[in-house]
Amino acid sequence: MEQAIHREILEESGVRLGELRYIGSQPWPYPRSLMLGFRARATSREIIVDADELAWGRWYSRAAVRAGQADGTLVLPPQSSIGRRLIEDWLGEDGGGPLGPVPGSEWGGL
């Protein structure tokens, strides 16, 4: 899994990864599939988007994520998703606390 993550992130965004840590998983909405959540440290900063698999890419500060989520300009995954859990864990590292619910989401919390 780790080798696949390093390879895919590099191919799709041009970002090189160093330290990689497994966080958790959740079912994926396709038959016999699983979504895996990892945290990683980038060892490069430039993002080169492969337009075949990604529409865009950029780095966000914690303040920018909180502000974008609060004013609706940044749409985050539902609270029940592994993606949201990864974002919340990262945001919580600065003591800023959890985000509010996803606007318009009928999904429940974790």
Short mmCIF file of all heavy atoms in Angstrom, two decimals, residues 1-2 5 20-24 36-40 82 86:
data_model
loop_
_atom_site.label_atom_id
_atom_site.label_comp_id
_atom_site.label_asym_id
_atom_site.label_seq_id
_atom_site.Cartn_x
_atom_site.Cartn_y
_atom_site.Cartn_z
N MET A 1 0.82 -1.19 0.00
CA MET A 1 0.00 0.00 0.00
C MET A 1 0.86 1.25 0.00
O MET A 1 0.58 2.19 -0.73
CB MET A 1 -0.91 0.01 1.22
CG MET A 1 -2.01 -1.02 1.19
SD MET A 1 -3.16 -0.89 2.58
CE MET A 1 -2.10 -1.19 3.97
N GLU A 2 1.90 1.24 0.83
CA GLU A 2 2.74 2.42 0.95
C GLU A 2 3.41 2.77 -0.38
O GLU A 2 3.45 3.95 -0.77
CB GLU A 2 3.79 2.23 2.05
CG GLU A 2 3.22 2.22 3.45
CD GLU A 2 2.69 0.86 3.90
OE1 GLU A 2 2.59 -0.08 3.06
OE2 GLU A 2 2.37 0.72 5.08
N ILE A 5 0.92 4.40 -2.69
CA ILE A 5 0.62 5.79 -2.33
C ILE A 5 1.73 6.72 -2.80
O ILE A 5 1.46 7.76 -3.41
CB ILE A 5 0.38 5.91 -0.81
CG1 ILE A 5 -0.91 5.18 -0.47
CG2 ILE A 5 0.33 7.36 -0.38
CD1 ILE A 5 -1.08 4.89 0.99
N LEU A 20 5.12 8.23 6.02
CA LEU A 20 3.75 7.84 5.68
C LEU A 20 3.21 7.00 6.83
O LEU A 20 3.89 6.10 7.32
CB LEU A 20 3.80 7.01 4.39
CG LEU A 20 2.51 6.66 3.69
CD1 LEU A 20 1.83 7.91 3.16
CD2 LEU A 20 2.82 5.72 2.54
N ARG A 21 1.96 7.30 7.27
CA ARG A 21 1.39 6.59 8.41
C ARG A 21 -0.08 6.25 8.13
O ARG A 21 -0.87 7.11 7.77
CB ARG A 21 1.49 7.47 9.65
CG ARG A 21 1.00 6.83 10.93
CD ARG A 21 1.37 7.65 12.15
NE ARG A 21 1.08 9.06 12.03
CZ ARG A 21 0.01 9.66 12.56
NH1 ARG A 21 -0.87 8.97 13.23
NH2 ARG A 21 -0.17 10.96 12.41
N TYR A 22 -0.43 4.99 8.33
CA TYR A 22 -1.81 4.52 8.15
C TYR A 22 -2.68 5.07 9.28
O TYR A 22 -2.30 5.02 10.44
CB TYR A 22 -1.85 2.99 8.16
CG TYR A 22 -3.24 2.41 8.14
CD1 TYR A 22 -4.00 2.40 6.98
CD2 TYR A 22 -3.79 1.87 9.29
CE1 TYR A 22 -5.27 1.87 6.96
CE2 TYR A 22 -5.07 1.34 9.29
CZ TYR A 22 -5.81 1.34 8.12
OH TYR A 22 -7.07 0.83 8.11
N ILE A 23 -3.87 5.59 8.93
CA ILE A 23 -4.80 6.13 9.92
C ILE A 23 -6.04 5.26 10.08
O ILE A 23 -6.47 4.96 11.18
CB ILE A 23 -5.23 7.57 9.55
CG1 ILE A 23 -4.03 8.49 9.46
CG2 ILE A 23 -6.27 8.10 10.53
CD1 ILE A 23 -3.26 8.67 10.75
N GLY A 24 -6.64 4.85 8.99
CA GLY A 24 -7.86 4.05 9.09
C GLY A 24 -8.43 3.75 7.71
O GLY A 24 -7.81 4.03 6.69
N LEU A 36 -8.68 3.71 1.97
CA LEU A 36 -7.67 3.73 3.02
C LEU A 36 -7.25 5.17 3.29
O LEU A 36 -7.08 5.94 2.35
CB LEU A 36 -6.45 2.90 2.62
CG LEU A 36 -6.74 1.45 2.26
CD1 LEU A 36 -5.49 0.79 1.71
CD2 LEU A 36 -7.25 0.71 3.48
N GLY A 37 -7.06 5.51 4.56
CA GLY A 37 -6.62 6.85 4.92
C GLY A 37 -5.22 6.83 5.49
O GLY A 37 -4.94 6.08 6.44
N PHE A 38 -4.34 7.63 4.92
CA PHE A 38 -2.96 7.76 5.38
C PHE A 38 -2.63 9.22 5.62
O PHE A 38 -3.21 10.10 4.98
CB PHE A 38 -1.98 7.23 4.32
CG PHE A 38 -1.88 5.73 4.25
CD1 PHE A 38 -2.83 4.99 3.59
CD2 PHE A 38 -0.82 5.07 4.84
CE1 PHE A 38 -2.75 3.61 3.50
CE2 PHE A 38 -0.72 3.70 4.76
CZ PHE A 38 -1.68 2.97 4.09
N ARG A 39 -1.70 9.49 6.51
CA ARG A 39 -1.10 10.82 6.67
C ARG A 39 0.31 10.71 6.14
O ARG A 39 0.99 9.70 6.33
CB ARG A 39 -1.03 11.22 8.14
CG ARG A 39 -2.36 11.43 8.80
CD ARG A 39 -2.85 12.83 8.93
NE ARG A 39 -1.90 13.88 9.18
CZ ARG A 39 -1.80 14.56 10.31
NH1 ARG A 39 -2.58 14.27 11.33
NH2 ARG A 39 -0.95 15.54 10.42
N ALA A 40 0.76 11.76 5.47
CA ALA A 40 2.10 11.75 4.89
C ALA A 40 2.74 13.12 5.02
O ALA A 40 2.04 14.13 5.13
CB ALA A 40 2.04 11.36 3.41
N ILE A 82 -13.65 9.09 5.92
CA ILE A 82 -12.25 9.03 6.34
C ILE A 82 -11.53 10.30 5.91
O ILE A 82 -10.65 10.80 6.63
CB ILE A 82 -11.54 7.75 5.81
CG1 ILE A 82 -10.14 7.60 6.39
CG2 ILE A 82 -11.47 7.74 4.31
CD1 ILE A 82 -10.08 7.20 7.82
N LEU A 86 -9.35 12.70 8.44
CA LEU A 86 -7.96 13.10 8.22
C LEU A 86 -7.80 14.61 8.33
O LEU A 86 -6.85 15.11 8.94
CB LEU A 86 -7.49 12.61 6.85
CG LEU A 86 -7.34 11.10 6.68
CD1 LEU A 86 -7.17 10.74 5.22
CD2 LEU A 86 -6.21 10.57 7.52
#
